[in-house]
Amino acid sequence: MKNILYIFIFSFSVVTYGQESLKCNVILDSLTNVKVCKNPEKLPEPKNGKNRLMKEFVKQIKIETTANIEGRPEEKLIIGFIVCGDGQVIGERIIMESPLEELEEKLLKVISETKWASGFCDNEAVNVLMEYPIRLRLAE
């Protein structure tokens, strides 16, 4: 018997470090050594829309109940990546790991294959570090 896997992808978020009044504050991403904007005025978005990205996640992630997830009705993970000023995705990473490595690889593949519209600050395209919290829950 197969269980249904629900995927909850929380709204898009960006790493921020408190309420600062400085616009376009930049930090150095330690994984890529790329400068990223901490608080852009406009976040990067998937060119085909957020709903299309979520549908692609669901399409790519088809997991049957296995010993890895039985008895663990919920998995949580956070993926991160940088959307560059030109819309290119770099520095894909798992911020909060899941024991389902195959799942992590598929999620990162979807992110890297998605075309992105740049984030902006002061009317300039900027690099932005994005984080996606994801929760997977087996239906009962």
Side-chain angles (χ1 to χ4, degrees):
M1 180 174 163
K2 293 182 186 178
N3 288 327
I4 298 171
L5 183 67
Y6 289 107
I7 301 174
F8 297 96
I9 303 171
F10 298 98
S11 50
F12 300 89
S13 61
V14 64
V15 175
T16 58
Y17 297 93
Q19 301 286 334
E20 296 185 22
S21 59
L22 297 174
K23 286 187 179 182
C24 303
N25 198 359
V26 175
I27 61 170
L28 186 66
D29 176 56
S30 61
L31 179 66
T32 60
N33 289 325
V34 170
K35 291 180 180 180
V36 295
C37 181
K38 284 177 38 174
N39 48 353
E41 293 166 351
K42 181 178 183 283
L43 288 173
E45 293 186 9
K47 286 191 175 180
N48 291 334
K50 294 175 188 175
N51 289 339
R52 180 72 181 130
L53 178 62
M54 288 185 208
K55 286 179 184 177
E56 191 61 31
F57 277 139
V58 172
K59 179 179 157 188
Q60 291 293 325
I61 301 167
K62 295 177 182 162
I63 299 175
E64 293 183 18
T65 303
T66 66
N68 289 359
I69 54 180
E70 282 183 15
R72 300 173 69 158
E74 186 170 292
E75 288 292 334
K76 298 175 186 175
L77 66 138
I78 300 173
I79 57 175
F81 54 96
I82 295 172
V83 177
C84 295
D86 63 2
Q88 176 186 3
V89 174
I90 63 170
E92 301 94 323
R93 66 202 76 182
I94 300 297
I95 296 171
M96 183 174 141
E97 296 180 359
S98 162
L100 305 173
E101 290 180 27
E102 178 184 325
L103 170 65
E104 293 173 357
E105 292 171 14
K106 287 182 178 185
L107 290 172
L108 292 176
K109 181 179 179 209
V110 169
I111 288 295
S112 67
E113 292 176 350
T114 300
K115 299 202 183 306
W116 291 83
S118 304
F120 284 88
C121 196
D122 288 339
N123 294 322
E124 285 188 35
V126 294
N127 302 333
V128 180
L129 177 60
M130 302 289 291
E131 290 185 357
Y132 278 50
I134 298 172
R135 183 173 45 150
L136 306 166
R137 184 183 304 164
L138 286 173
E140 295 182 16

